[in-house]
Amino acid sequence: MSTLVPDSSSHDLPLAPRPLAQAASPSASVAASAPSAPSAAALEAALADLAGRVRGEVLLPGTPGYGQAATPWNVAVPSAPVAVVVAAATADVVSAVRFADSHDLALEVRATGHGALAHDRRSLLVHTGRLQELVINPVTRRARVGAGVRWQQVLDAAAAHGFGALAGSAPHVGVVGYLTGGGLSPVARTYGFGSDLVTAFEVVTGDGELRRATATENTSLFWALRGGKGALGIVTAVEFELLDVAEIYGGCLYFDGADAERVISAWRVWSASLPEQATTSLAVLRLPAMPAVPPPLAGRCTVAVRFAWVGDPADGERVAGPINTLASPILGGLGVLPFNALGMIHADPVDPMPVHERSVLLRELPQDAVDTLLALAGPQADCPQVIVELRLLGGALARAPREPSAICHRDAAYAALTIGIAAPPVVAATTGHAAAVMAALDPWSGGISTPNLGASTDPAIVALKYDAATLARLATLTASYDPNARMVAADPVRAAAGLVQS
């Protein structure tokens, strides 16, 4: 069992421009310091030895369980690692990371695979789904969870003690991936980013060491893990504050697409005046006819207005009143919800599917921006997207966190997101249209975005998820904690930093 390693050196020392640019190319940095790739026979023998040393499993291509473990939730992302290490304990993760470094393999990590990224490196996949530790401390109002835990499990466990947890719109996603990317909850304007409530991580960094990162221990790592996604290593456990709230007022109202112009324009004005007890989003939907889709929404254009209020339900009902009177809803309603039913507000899909996402943050949302969006995604548009969404930001999201983090662009007013099917025969139309929407919104966004929305390997897109100083510091830290460039998730960060630097 590996012991926790303190951060005894400075990991914020600036790298010279040339080494940082080289770090953007994994093959360049690995070739300088790593052993040559073993033969297939030697690797197979080494993997068999690894299987005898871990508590979990080592799954090879063609063996039972490999396909399921290797395939991410977003099935549009290809995944063919040389093996999958299904970790049953933190020590398994340490062994897997050190194995990858010894055998010239890149490292992927997955629990659910919602934010999976495509790559072309020879890799070992570490699956953390079995790390199911879940402890609620009702005295300190904190939770400790393993990397395989999903948000609905936390919501239900916290509810048993009368607490809530700052989960996202889709509680079936993993806790760790959500928190390392910031985390936008349906109650985010009241409580801030999910990562703002994190108090500790335990992580196996790319150099194979198990570290604990808090506001007072391994502080640079703690900063980077809140916003840097999986670029620094493989998180095995996370601790965070819970919310002293048992219920909220909210839900979703669905309107016919014919009312889109009236609803979206009114939502723009209404949302701009909301107090931070309120969080809201709006989505233009084109949901296919399938069993999971309610018949009133299937095969047509509709508009969903989501709303959550933390506080007196009577106040929430009053504040939501203007939206109720815009048009006659075809489905849905607002009311008091137990906090662990938070996922009902967005009702995001649960089953794996091939998806393409793009997202930008908007500094403002004038009527011109709404008109632009309606032209591309309104009921009369030839729009291949399943969802085109706007989320109101501001409130607690705009305030600096108690401890600094790598989350940037906190002054953004709205987030815009497109989600479409990334499979033939519509994939080309989906990606092309998404790019057109992002370009059309550029006057109000400048292309900036946030880590969790619109996962991408494009350095130009990744560079705009951070400000220049944050990106440079993240890249420096990845090179320090992962000197042989093993972490696949660090590749886009290093490439983006190299692009900005050049």
Side-chain angles (χ1 to χ4, degrees):
M1 174 71 73
S2 179
T3 57
L4 292 171
V5 175
D7 187 4
S8 57
S9 62
S10 172
H11 289 283
D12 279 326
L13 295 176
L15 294 181
R18 183 172 178 77
L20 181 56
Q22 288 177 340
S25 172
S27 58
S29 58
V30 170
S33 57
S36 58
S39 67
L43 181 60
E44 185 174 345
L47 286 167
D49 177 70
L50 177 64
R53 292 187 285 111
V54 298
R55 284 176 52 189
E57 296 179 89
V58 177
L59 306 176
L60 302 180
T63 62
Y66 172 89
Q68 181 178 0
T71 303
W73 182 89
N74 182 2
V75 297
V77 177
S79 182
V82 300
V84 179
V85 177
V86 182
T90 297
D92 291 355
V93 178
V94 173
S95 295
V97 172
R98 293 178 179 177
F99 180 92
D101 197 40
S102 298
H103 294 83
D104 194 25
L105 298 172
L107 277 162
E108 296 180 81
V109 59
R110 185 165 302 144
T112 66
H114 281 75
L117 297 172
H119 68 93
D120 58 4
R121 299 176 64 185
R122 193 163 176 255
S123 66
L124 181 71
L125 171 61
V126 180
H127 198 291
T128 60
R130 290 189 188 175
L131 302 182
Q132 287 288 314
E133 179 183 10
L134 174 51
V135 178
I136 302 294
N137 187 326
V139 177
T140 61
R141 207 182 71 200
R142 293 189 178 185
R144 175 182 167 88
V145 306
V149 174
R150 302 186 184 219
W151 274 112
Q152 192 61 56
Q153 295 171 259
V154 180
L155 287 168
D156 293 340
H161 298 278
F163 299 135
L166 199 50
S169 60
H172 60 280
V173 308
V175 171
V176 166
Y178 172 86
L179 290 176
T180 55
L184 277 174
S185 173
V187 292
R189 298 186 72 253
T190 308
Y191 297 107
F193 286 96
S195 59
D196 294 345
L197 298 187
V198 172
T199 57
F201 289 101
E202 288 178 9
V203 56
V204 182
T205 46
D207 56 7
E209 299 294 345
L210 174 61
R211 292 178 163 92
R212 182 174 173 85
T214 71
T216 58
E217 183 180 4
N218 294 326
T219 55
S220 293
L221 188 58
F222 186 60
W223 173 87
L225 287 169
R226 291 171 300 129
K229 294 294 288 183
L232 276 296
I234 301 176
V235 173
T236 58
V238 61
E239 299 167 16
F240 51 89
E241 298 174 15
L242 297 171
L243 308 176
D244 191 12
V245 57
E247 61 183 27
I248 56 175
Y249 177 87
C252 184
L253 297 169
Y254 297 89
F255 300 95
D256 189 273
D259 296 315
E261 183 174 359
R262 184 192 332 170
V263 170
I264 299 174
S265 296
W267 179 86
R268 178 189 76 86
V269 175
W270 170 75
S271 65
S273 65
L274 289 176
E276 63 183 53
Q277 295 102 308
T279 304
T280 184
S281 65
L282 177 146
V284 180
L285 306 175
R286 287 176 169 83
L287 303 179
M290 54 190 300
V293 176
L297 307 181
R300 63 190 290 194
C301 178
T302 59
V303 179
V305 176
R306 296 87 162 242
F307 179 73
W309 176 268
V310 178
D312 189 332
D315 291 336
E317 184 176 13
R318 175 181 52 79
V319 170
I323 291 298
N324 271 309
T325 61
L326 287 175
S328 297
I330 60 174
L331 189 68
L334 305 177
V336 177
L337 298 173
F339 198 92
N340 61 338
L342 193 70
M344 293 176 60
I345 295 176
H346 281 235
D348 286 342
V350 174
D351 295 333
M353 62 180 62
V355 297
H356 174 270
E357 292 186 8
R358 286 292 307 274
S359 179
V360 289
L361 300 176
L362 306 177
R363 300 294 189 192
E364 58 179 344
L365 186 67
Q367 186 60 41
D368 286 351
V370 168
D371 293 341
T372 297
L373 201 61
L374 282 166
L376 288 163
Q380 305 305 317
D382 183 13
C383 175
Q385 309 300 330
V386 177
I387 301 174
V388 177
E389 179 183 271
L390 292 169
R391 295 192 187 195
L392 176 67
L393 305 178
L397 292 165
R399 291 197 289 272
R402 185 171 55 241
E403 303 296 336
S405 76
I407 296 296
C408 299
H409 311 313
R410 288 177 179 263
D411 58 341
Y414 293 84
L417 172 70
T418 64
I419 302 176
I421 300 300
V426 299
V427 59
T430 296
T431 56
H433 180 269
V437 171
M438 299 300 112
L441 293 175
D442 193 69
W444 305 284
S445 75
I448 62 172
S449 57
T450 191
N452 268 355
L453 298 180
S456 177
T457 58
D458 184 338
I461 293 175
V462 174
L464 290 171
K465 293 180 181 289
Y466 306 98
D467 59 48
T470 298
L471 182 61
R473 187 181 181 193
L474 276 175
T476 300
L477 289 168
T478 66
S480 297
Y481 282 107
D482 183 16
N484 291 333
R486 295 300 173 197
M487 299 304 304
V488 165
D491 296 350
V493 171
R494 295 187 182 193
L499 179 68
V500 170
Q501 196 175 70
S502 63

